[in-house]
Amino acid sequence: SLVQLRKQRHRLTHALAVKGDGRSSPLKLADFQQTGECYDRKANNNWAVVDAHLHPRPFGGKPVPFPDLMGRLRRAGILFATLYGIGQRLPIDSGCSYYLNCPGTNVTPSLKNDFFNAQSVLDSAADLADPSGPRIALSMSFIDLHDPAGSLEKMQLLQNEFPGMFKWVGEVNLVKQALWPNHQGLPVELDAVPTWKPLMDEFLKQDIPLA
């Protein structure tokens, strides 16, 4: 929500309150709990500390083991990451690993990747408690705007299975032309947009941003 994003921007402004002292030192999670002057970009490094859109699993093939992935984020200086699932899945009996390579093969919205992401975070809870980070936010990636009622039911299912873990929604494709040959990603008819209201109301009620 806009209020939440403003709060995050406010926290980020204060988190970057590190005086330049001629030394270039990486930001740490502790820096985001301090207040003071603005971050001096001339005296300190400008490396990104946020991976705002990270897919832990590929469309096909094996993923990088989750602990290894978290280790790569730490070595890169990433302190915060938002994990996205792949919201559209190829059939499990398909030999295709990437939708662009198999036009005509149906892809369908799915919860599978979101379950994987949440369970991976639970399995790595001790490691993720490390004060060096990264801090992980989970995003619900299965939303199908052609089926808002079904999406709301799946949202409730996911939150019942993993209470309090999903704080973000997306990515939500209003239209994705690359998926058209796979019978997905088509724009929603304008007169169907009002049917989104119960789903959007739930996002607003829970203060969940949508990307």
Side-chain angles (χ1 to χ4, degrees):
S1 70
L2 182 59
V3 172
Q4 187 176 26
L5 291 175
R6 284 175 176 168
K7 289 179 181 178
Q8 290 174 345
R9 183 178 66 180
H10 178 73
R11 286 196 295 268
L12 181 61
T13 300
H14 288 291
L16 299 181
V18 179
K19 289 185 178 181
D21 56 5
R23 296 175 297 175
S24 181
S25 57
L27 284 167
K28 300 179 176 61
L29 283 174
D31 295 321
F32 287 78
Q33 300 170 343
Q34 299 173 359
T35 60
E37 299 178 10
C38 292
Y39 188 76
D40 188 339
R41 295 184 180 278
K42 293 182 179 179
N44 297 278
N45 71 62
N46 292 278
W47 299 339
V49 296
V50 178
D51 190 332
H53 193 124
L54 176 60
H55 290 277
R57 288 191 71 91
F59 249 99
K62 295 181 179 180
V64 173
F66 196 78
D68 292 352
L69 180 61
M70 295 301 102
R72 294 183 188 185
L73 293 179
R74 287 194 185 98
R75 290 192 295 275
I78 298 298
L79 301 176
F80 306 94
T82 304
L83 299 192
Y84 285 75
I86 295 175
Q88 299 84 31
R89 295 270 303 205
L90 291 157
I92 60 174
D93 59 354
S94 171
C96 185
S97 62
Y98 188 49
Y99 63 92
L100 288 179
N101 296 333
C102 45
T105 301
N106 289 339
V107 298
T108 55
S110 174
L111 287 161
K112 292 187 180 76
N113 270 197
D114 291 331
F115 270 79
F116 169 84
N117 289 346
Q119 190 59 53
S120 296
V121 168
L122 288 176
D123 291 343
S124 300
D127 182 44
L128 292 173
D130 189 315
S132 65
R135 292 292 180 263
I136 299 299
L138 289 171
S139 183
M140 293 178 276
S141 307
F142 59 86
I143 302 297
D144 179 5
L145 294 178
H146 289 270
D147 182 19
S151 294
L152 184 55
E153 291 177 1
K154 291 176 181 177
M155 176 181 174
Q156 293 166 345
L157 169 64
L158 191 64
Q159 292 184 321
N160 286 337
E161 293 290 336
F162 301 100
M165 293 185 65
F166 285 85
K167 304 293 188 180
W168 204 265
V169 170
E171 60 195 85
V172 176
N173 295 315
L174 295 176
V175 60
K176 187 170 184 177
Q177 189 172 358
L179 284 170
W180 289 0
N182 305 95
H183 314 117
Q184 275 293 325
L186 296 168
V188 176
E189 295 294 335
L190 188 59
D191 59 4
V193 171
T195 66
W196 297 351
K197 188 177 187 305
L199 181 62
M200 299 300 164
D201 284 347
E202 189 62 29
F203 296 156
L204 184 62
K205 176 183 175 182
Q206 297 190 32
D207 199 21
I208 295 179
L210 183 149

